[in-house]
């Protein structure tokens, strides 16, 4: 780390507490922003995304040393615009207090739930989708009436700077603020007493963040990683599976939290799958080095990590199948070809660590039960992909497996789907954003009882044993008889 980073970190560190204080004060003065104010904030963000579109492509391209504007459009800008449009349309309904059932013990009275903004939401982001993963939680937080502080990733500095410029162009710092800097800043950031903290990143760091938040009893939404399996049923056309998986796996060169991490393939189809998968990749990306469509690896460190996985697999006897021509010398670039790993063992790093890059192990199975047992024996993944035209069998998979989300006959597409929640389970995370669940996640569901002028409670009150109390007990005894257990 050079001196500039140090001085930037130092200045960011001193900003943290005053920023949070300013945001908390501003929130306290307008604790329940009206619908129009929330729509205004979302619309400002919408306009800023349109105004800065080209600059966003360029900043991400610079951070990755090569990422296609089409991927940025498909995976960052469009889903953000759609996410804003989603809340714009439904916010009024989500904000409405709900009437709930008022039980006899509170009668006469009304029961309601009010969805109240929490206050200031902290958002910690990774480098792989530096705009989408910062702004998608922000959209939910703003829709629910909160203010927010965003900590960008030190590994996507151009994007972090641009994000700061964009948000500063439309928001006051006490509404939305951006903090840049390295691990030291991130550590202090997560120690701040936010009203809610969203962390997107790796599972090990997620544990550290949750520990820090526990000190303040700050509720967390953890969007973590893990190994998301793709299971291909024996009856599913193998070429179709190969093409669909190749599309998802190649996006961002596999640097996606929900990227298919390994494939469970019927044993007799492993060979066919592998060659069709490689064909599909080569068709989409005939060359790599000068091809702007194929994303590079974010850093030398990440590239070394992925190469270590491949060397380790090779040394332990795996077969590697690499897409693209071996004539292309990628040595001095950060591009890395898509590689299938066959004949894996559990000891290999590719089967122990989340891959997060263009490497895909293909694991043979003999029966679908065996494939499902394999998944069940491992940590609950962020996503599960199942390829099968048979809806009954697919429904069975939905009922018997646990994962953050599922795509049947596809991969990745549950992330940009606005009307369903997104989030992990267990080691792949907790809490949700997107959709109605996202709005609720960033709101306090406050239970409210309203009583009127008539107060029957006074009639039941002590001295106990009075007539009203005995009447109530008589009624309740009739209501609550033992039930028959079938
Ligand atoms: P990371 O965990 O290394 O870093 C994420 C963020 O945490 C960064 O902003 C970093 O500054 C901060 N950080 C690092 N150390 C910290 C500490 N000790 N205390 C507090 N904050 C700290 O993750 P990454 O390499 O940026 O991203 C890759 C990981 O993120 C993968 O595991 C991937 O699966 C996961 N991910 C998950 C989702 C999701 O939505 N579930 C999305 C994208 C990425």
């Amino acid at each position: 780390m050079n001196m500039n980073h140090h001085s930037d970190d130092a200045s960011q560190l001193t900003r943290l507490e005053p920023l949070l204080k300013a945001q908390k004060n501003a929130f306290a003065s307008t604790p329940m922003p009206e619908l129009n104010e929330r729509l205004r904030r979302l619309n400002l963000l919408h306009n800023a995304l349109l105004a800065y579109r080209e600059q966003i492509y360029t900043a991400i391209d610079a951070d990755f040393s090569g990422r296609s504007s089409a991927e940025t459009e498909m995976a960052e800008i469009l889903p953000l615009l759609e996410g804003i449009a989603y809340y714009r349309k439904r916010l009024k309904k989500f904000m409405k207090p709900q009437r709930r059932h008022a039980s006899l013990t509170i009668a006469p009275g009304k029961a309601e739930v009010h969805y109240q903004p929490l206050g200031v939401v902290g958002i910690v982001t990774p480098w792989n989708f530096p705009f989408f993963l910062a702004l998608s939680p922000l959209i939910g937080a703003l829709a629910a009436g909160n203010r927010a502080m965003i900590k960008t990733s030190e590994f996507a500095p151009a994007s972090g700077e641009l994000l700061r410029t964009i948000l500063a162009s439309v928001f006051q710092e006490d509404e939305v603020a951006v903090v840049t800097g390295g691990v030291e800043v991130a550590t202090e950031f997560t120690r701040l007493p936010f009203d809610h903290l969203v962390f997107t990143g790796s599972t090990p760091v997620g544990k550290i963040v949750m520990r820090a938040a526990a000190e303040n009893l700050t509720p967390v939404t953890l969007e973590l990683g893990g190994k998301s399996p793709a299971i291909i049923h024996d009856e599913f056309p193998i070429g179709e599976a190969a093409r669909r998986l190749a599309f998802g796996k190649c996006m961002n060169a596999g640097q996606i939290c929900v990227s298919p991490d390994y494939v469970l393939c019927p044993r007799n189809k492993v060979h066919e799958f592998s060659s069709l998968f490689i064909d599909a990749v080569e068709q989409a990306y005939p060359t790599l080095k000068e091809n702007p469509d194929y994303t590079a690896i974010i850093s030398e460190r990440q590239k070394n990590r992925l190469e270590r996985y491949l060397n380790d697999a090779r040394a332990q006897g795996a077969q590697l199948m690499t897409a693209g021509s071996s004539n292309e010398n990628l040595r001095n670039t950060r591009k890395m070809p898509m590689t299938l790993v066959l004949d894996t063992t559990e000891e290999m790093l590719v089967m122990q660590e989340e891959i997060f890059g263009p490497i895909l192990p293909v694991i043979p199975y003999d029966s679908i039960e065996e494939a499902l047992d394999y998944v069940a024996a491992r940590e609950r993944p962020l996503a599960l992909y199942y390829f099968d035209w048979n809806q009954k069998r697919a429904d069975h998979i939905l009922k018997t497996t646990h994962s953050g989300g599922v795509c049947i006959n596809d991969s990745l597409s549950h992330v940009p789907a606005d009307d369903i929640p997104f989030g992990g389970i267990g080691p792949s995370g907790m809490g949700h954003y997107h959709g109605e669940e996202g709005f609720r996640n960033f709101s306090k569901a406050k239970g409210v009882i309203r009583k009127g002028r008539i107060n029957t409670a006074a009639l039941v009150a002590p001295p106990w044993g009075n007539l009203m109390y005995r009447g109530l007990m008589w009624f309740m005894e009739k209501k609550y008889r033992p039930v028959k257990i079938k």
Side-chain angles (χ1 to χ4, degrees):
M1 211 176 254
N2 63 30
M3 280 307 286
N4 276 344
H5 276 117
H6 275 307
S7 61
D8 182 53
D9 274 21
S11 72
Q12 296 296 323
L13 283 170
T14 56
R15 284 175 75 214
L16 293 178
E17 282 186 18
L19 261 182
L20 179 63
K21 203 164 169 220
Q23 290 217 352
K24 285 204 170 187
N25 286 340
F27 177 77
S29 67
T30 48
M32 188 69 183
E34 302 285 346
L35 175 65
N36 279 345
E37 174 56 16
R38 299 186 197 195
L39 291 176
R40 187 189 70 87
R41 289 176 185 166
L42 292 176
N43 288 337
L44 283 171
L45 196 54
H46 166 104
N47 288 347
L49 282 169
L50 297 183
Y52 283 90
R53 207 172 203 152
E54 301 279 331
Q55 293 185 48
I56 294 175
Y57 300 161
T58 312
I60 297 182
D61 189 45
D63 281 333
F64 276 83
S65 77
R67 192 170 101 181
S68 88
S69 50
E71 282 192 354
T72 296
E73 194 56 51
M74 298 283 291
E76 312 227 29
I77 310 230
L78 286 179
L80 287 169
L81 292 171
E82 298 255 305
I84 292 171
Y86 172 86
Y87 283 121
R88 195 187 283 130
K89 209 164 154 195
R90 294 167 181 79
L91 200 47
K92 191 172 172 192
K93 188 177 117 205
F94 292 163
M95 285 173 67
K96 262 201 192 115
Q98 297 172 356
R99 261 307 267 287
R100 296 290 179 91
H101 168 70
S103 58
L104 185 68
T105 44
I106 60 146
K110 287 180 186 155
E112 296 166 359
V113 181
H114 290 240
Y115 293 95
Q116 191 170 30
L118 298 169
V120 181
V121 177
I123 299 171
V124 181
T125 61
W127 48 261
N128 63 329
F129 290 102
F131 286 84
F132 180 72
L133 294 170
L135 298 181
S136 187
L138 178 70
I139 289 167
L142 292 179
N146 300 284
R147 289 164 190 260
M149 286 169 60
I150 299 173
K151 158 68 180 69
T152 61
S153 168
E154 63 273 33
F155 299 110
S159 299
E161 281 307 322
L162 181 60
L163 190 70
R164 181 177 14 217
T165 306
I166 294 176
L167 292 175
S169 75
V170 288
F171 295 116
Q172 302 291 329
E173 266 207 337
D174 63 8
E175 264 176 321
V176 178
V178 173
V179 174
T180 55
V183 173
E184 205 188 333
V185 180
T187 303
E188 287 309 313
F189 187 93
T190 53
R191 287 187 183 150
L192 294 174
F194 288 112
D195 298 298
H196 191 99
L197 182 61
V198 184
F199 170 80
T200 305
S202 62
T203 301
V205 179
K207 291 181 188 174
I208 301 173
V209 169
M210 192 167 169
R211 231 173 267 140
E215 274 309 309
N216 304 308
L217 291 177
T218 294
V220 289
T221 300
L222 300 179
E223 301 288 345
L224 310 177
K227 295 181 81 61
S228 298
I231 308 169
I232 306 167
H233 191 274
D234 197 19
E235 285 173 21
F236 192 82
I238 201 72
E240 191 62 26
R243 282 186 293 277
R244 290 184 186 210
L245 276 167
F247 175 76
K249 182 70 192 182
C250 288
M251 282 285 276
N252 216 26
Q255 301 163 101
I256 309 187
C257 55
V258 289
S259 191
D261 190 277
Y262 61 93
V263 178
L264 286 160
C265 180
R267 188 177 296 279
N268 60 357
K269 293 196 173 147
V270 167
H271 185 71
E272 199 184 351
F273 171 82
S274 304
S275 68
L276 291 171
F277 180 92
I278 295 286
D279 286 351
V281 175
E282 290 177 347
Q283 209 168 0
Y285 309 95
T287 62
L288 299 184
K289 193 173 177 181
E290 306 295 340
N291 185 349
D293 288 352
Y294 190 70
T295 297
I297 304 303
I298 187 82
S299 64
E300 226 23 64
R301 200 175 100 188
Q302 290 290 330
K303 193 172 173 222
N304 291 341
R305 174 183 66 85
L306 292 162
E307 280 170 351
R308 199 169 54 185
Y309 291 179
L310 289 179
N311 292 337
D312 166 81
R314 203 184 285 114
Q316 296 199 56
Q319 301 296 318
L320 307 187
M321 272 178 85
T322 301
S325 136
S326 49
N327 296 335
E328 268 194 299
N329 184 355
L330 300 174
R331 191 156 299 152
N332 292 320
T333 74
R334 292 218 302 269
K335 295 256 169 109
M336 206 179 157
M338 181 61 67
T339 302
L340 293 180
V341 187
L342 310 177
D343 300 330
T344 57
T345 65
E346 284 309 297
E347 287 69 43
M348 294 175 185
L349 288 170
V350 281
M351 291 320 299
Q352 304 227 339
E353 307 285 336
E354 175 183 2
I355 290 173
F356 215 64
I359 301 174
L360 186 66
V362 184
I363 301 168
Y365 72 77
D366 293 306
S367 70
I368 194 76
E369 290 74 27
E370 183 194 329
L372 293 174
D373 286 348
Y374 185 91
V375 173
R378 281 156 182 79
E379 290 186 339
R380 291 173 167 183
L382 185 56
L384 186 145
Y385 305 123
Y386 181 62
F387 292 82
D388 190 349
W389 296 138
N390 183 307
Q391 204 166 328
K392 249 197 173 149
R393 283 194 302 249
D395 284 341
H396 176 74
I397 300 284
L398 290 176
K399 285 181 196 150
T400 53
T401 61
H402 284 88
S403 62
V406 175
C407 294
I408 308 285
N409 306 329
D410 199 13
S411 70
L412 315 187
S413 49
H414 62 302
V415 185
D418 299 304
D419 207 11
I420 56 176
F422 178 70
I425 174 168
S428 58
M430 62 181 70
H432 302 102
Y433 64 117
H434 299 174
E436 181 166 350
E437 287 80 358
F439 177 88
R440 308 282 175 231
N441 190 47
F442 295 120
S443 304
K444 160 68 186 161
K446 189 152 80 174
V448 176
I449 296 296
R450 284 184 205 267
K451 292 238 174 180
R453 292 177 200 283
I454 303 166
N455 183 19
T456 41
L459 303 173
V460 188
W464 298 116
N466 60 56
L467 192 64
M468 275 306 273
Y469 174 80
R470 277 185 283 138
L472 180 69
M473 281 298 126
W474 177 85
F475 183 80
M476 286 305 197
E477 269 166 33
K478 293 260 171 296
K479 189 173 172 192
Y480 294 115
R481 299 282 174 90
V483 286
K484 214 180 240 159
I485 310 291
K486 287 185 194 127

